[in-house]
Amino acid sequence: MKKLVLLGALALSVLSLPTFADEKPLKIGIEAAYPPFASKAPDGSIVGFDYDIGNALCEEMKVKCTWVEQEFDGLIPALKVRKIDAILSSMSITEDRKKSVDFTNKYYNTPARLVMKAGTPVSDSLAELKGKNIGVQRGSIHERFAREVLAPLGAEIKPYGSQNEVYLDVAAGRLDGTVADATLLDDGFLKTDAGKGFAFVGPAFTDEKYFGDGIGIAVRKGDALKDKINTAITAIRESGKYKQIQDKYFAFDIYGK
C-alpha cells in the first residue's frame, strides 16, 4: 500500500513539473564575427547587440533559445533545411532575400557611409570619387551598391574577403576608402588606433534598393514565428528593455526612423 501511495505521489510530482522539457528550443543562427553586433569574448562566449536582443526576445516570448554559429553566407541555407529556426545576425531586409525567407519587422536600421582620410571633400554628387580605390566586403550589399552606383562615377571597386582586410589596406594607404555600415565602420575602424586620421565623408546612403528596409530577423516562409517575434520586438521597445540594450553599445538611436 505504501508503495502505491509513493508511486502516486511521484506521478503527481511529474505531472506538476514545467513542460519546457517537451518543447523544442528555438535555434537561432548567428555569425559571431561582426562587432559590436556579435563577436566572441576571450572565454569563447558570444557577446554583442544582436545576441542581447535575441535573448531579450526569447525571454519575452518565454521560450528557450539556443544559438547556432554559422558563416553568414550559410545562414539562409541552414534556415531552409531546418538546422536553425531563425536568423538574428544583422541581416538586411532586401527584396532579393525576401524571395527565400520571411522577415520580421526591423529591429534596427543604420545607413551606409564612406570612410576616407579626414578632410577629403566628397559632395552629394560623389563626383570626387573618380579614380579613387574603394574597398568593400565581397558578397555584401555594400559591394553591389559600390559596383552599381560608385563604379559608374569612376571609382575603382576592390572586393575583399572581410571588412577587417579592407581596414588594413585603408590604413596602409593601398585604398582611398571604404563603404560599409556606418556603425560597423565607427566601432570597428574609426574608434581604433588604425582609424586615426580617417572620418566619415560624403552623404549617408539609405537607398532601399540596396539597403532594404532595415535589419530584420529571418524565418522560413509562412512560419508563424514571424508574428510572435514581431510582438516581442514591440514589447521590449515599449518596456524599455530595447533602450537598455541599445545604450550598452551605442550613443545614439540605432532603431532609426
Side-chain angles (χ1 to χ4, degrees):
M1 186 67 180
K2 288 181 180 179
K3 288 183 179 179
L4 289 173
V5 171
L6 179 60
L7 288 171
L10 287 172
L12 286 172
S13 66
V14 169
L15 289 172
S16 67
L17 289 173
T19 58
F20 295 130
D22 297 326
E23 297 177 3
K24 292 182 179 179
L26 190 65
K27 293 176 289 185
I28 305 177
I30 191 170
E31 182 193 38
Y34 196 63
F37 297 98
S39 59
K40 300 298 281 292
D43 65 359
S45 61
I46 304 173
V47 294
F49 177 78
D50 282 350
Y51 181 71
D52 288 355
I53 288 291
N55 287 330
L57 292 173
C58 291
E59 183 179 352
E60 179 65 34
M61 293 186 292
K62 295 179 173 56
V63 296
K64 180 181 179 181
C65 291
T66 59
W67 292 87
V68 181
E69 289 186 61
Q70 179 86 44
E71 294 292 329
F72 189 81
D73 60 3
L75 285 169
I76 288 180
L79 178 66
K80 294 175 79 170
V81 298
R82 298 180 178 272
K83 288 184 178 180
I84 55 177
D85 303 304
I87 300 169
L88 204 167
S89 193
S90 289
M91 184 169 282
S92 298
I93 304 168
T94 65
E95 291 303 318
D96 187 53
R97 287 175 178 150
K98 285 179 182 178
K99 296 174 184 176
S100 300
V101 299
D102 281 347
F103 279 100
T104 64
N105 299 335
K106 71 172 185 179
Y107 66 96
Y108 81 84
N109 191 14
T110 54
R113 294 294 304 272
L114 269 167
V115 160
M116 300 179 76
K117 279 285 188 181
T120 302
V122 178
S123 63
D124 288 352
S125 72
L126 306 175
E128 297 87 351
L129 296 183
K130 184 176 181 179
K132 301 295 185 182
N133 292 313
I134 304 298
V136 292
Q137 183 174 0
R138 185 180 297 111
S140 67
I141 57 175
H142 304 98
E143 180 185 16
R144 181 189 171 203
F145 168 78
R147 291 194 181 282
E148 295 185 12
V149 176
L150 306 185
L153 297 173
E156 297 291 332
I157 309 305
K158 308 291 185 182
Y160 287 74
S162 73
Q163 192 62 36
N164 285 334
E165 293 175 43
V166 177
Y167 296 151
L168 290 173
D169 276 5
V170 170
R174 290 185 286 270
L175 289 171
D176 296 300
T178 180
V179 61
D181 177 84
T183 307
L184 178 69
L185 290 169
D186 188 43
D187 192 82
F189 185 62
L190 295 179
K191 290 180 179 177
T192 70
D193 289 340
K196 290 180 178 177
F198 293 88
F200 289 125
V201 299
F205 305 119
T206 59
D207 190 337
E208 289 184 8
K209 176 182 177 182
Y210 300 102
F211 307 111
D213 302 315
I215 305 299
I217 300 166
V219 299
R220 282 183 287 275
K221 282 284 190 181
D223 196 330
L225 179 61
K226 180 180 80 170
D227 293 333
K228 295 179 182 178
I229 296 175
N230 279 338
T231 299
I233 291 172
T234 299
I236 65 170
R237 282 187 54 74
E238 291 178 347
S239 70
K241 183 65 175 178
Y242 181 96
K243 188 176 188 305
Q244 180 185 339
I245 296 170
Q246 169 191 275
D247 292 349
K248 178 179 174 182
Y249 296 97
F250 312 110
F252 59 94
D253 177 15
I254 195 171
Y255 187 77
K257 296 179 180 179

